[in-house]
Amino acid sequence: SPPVAVLDISNTFLWPFPRIAAFDTNGSLFVEVFPRNSGRIWARIVLASLYPTVERWAGDLNLNVLKTWQTYPNNGPSYDSANCSFDAVDFTVELNPFGAQAATWLNFSNCTFDPRTDYLIGIYVEDSGDNNDGALASIRVLKLADASNYFLISPRLLGTAYADNFTMEYRTANAGFAWCA
């Protein structure tokens, strides 16, 4: 059989993978990402119903949707608002005061959210070579219309999880109860 070429990935996401850090139904959404190295980032908020699969080349949500978004009209809040998307934005990976990698923040603003609609955030990172050889990730933003409460900061594990205990961090819009399984 013929040889198969395996291309290197120029950039990818480190743990913790992209997550929503804060969400305001009035049009702001803050996402925390940890790219492996400095480079460029693309991010758009689209209607989840239009993009059931996410994959760099063959998915419904793919590089074409993120990089040539003008050819995909009315596909979500990012289409009509420049502040609600990131298009080939250069970023530099930095360290926090403790020597660990600091988060790269994506601050979406002026987004028009319908609380009865599910959305998808597509995020793509690569180095600055423009070779389409990076990594694509997605985050689902679920509708809030029928929810009595919702997360303002997505749950995340703090420290080490043990067989008998662990600590989670999160923030909700209203007081209430939380379950974890």
Side-chain angles (χ1 to χ4, degrees), residues 2-106:
V4 175
V6 177
L7 302 176
D8 287 335
I9 300 289
S10 68
N11 209 346
T12 190
F13 299 98
L14 302 176
W15 186 90
F17 297 106
R19 72 179 190 103
I20 297 172
F23 178 50
D24 177 353
T25 54
N26 292 327
S28 296
L29 191 138
F30 304 92
V31 175
E32 176 183 60
V33 297
F34 290 86
R36 183 177 64 198
N37 16 338
S38 300
R40 285 199 183 100
I41 194 162
W42 287 258
R44 304 199 61 72
I45 302 172
V46 297
L47 300 169
S49 61
L50 297 177
Y51 303 98
T53 62
V54 178
E55 201 275 325
R56 186 168 45 158
W57 300 112
D60 297 304
L61 179 59
N62 58 44
L63 289 186
N64 268 344
V65 174
L66 293 178
K67 287 188 166 188
T68 61
W69 60 270
Q70 301 89 338
T71 60
Y72 297 88
N74 303 318
N75 67 350
S78 288
Y79 186 78
D80 291 323
S81 174
N83 294 328
C84 193
S85 64
F86 292 81
D87 189 25
V89 174
D90 290 325
F91 67 91
T92 302
V93 169
E94 297 178 358
L95 299 179
N96 67 23
F98 304 105
Q101 183 174 333
T104 297
W105 289 95
L106 303 178

Side-chain angles (χ1 to χ4, degrees), residues 142-177:
L142 301 175
K143 62 185 166 194
L144 305 173
D146 300 326
S148 62
N149 206 347
Y150 55 90
F151 291 105
L152 296 172
I153 296 179
S154 300
R156 73 174 180 150
L157 182 66
L158 290 180
T160 304
Y162 298 98
D164 60 347
N165 76 31
F166 60 92
T167 302
M168 299 286 296
E169 173 186 60
Y170 61 90
R171 186 175 308 147
T172 58
N174 303 303
F177 297 96

Side-chain angles (χ1 to χ4, degrees), residues 107-129:
N107 301 325
F108 296 90
S109 61
N110 298 327
C111 304
T112 305
F113 294 110
D114 180 338
R116 299 161 297 183
T117 303
D118 289 344
Y119 297 98
L120 195 63
I121 306 169
I123 306 167
Y124 175 72
V125 293
E126 66 180 26
D127 62 11
S128 55

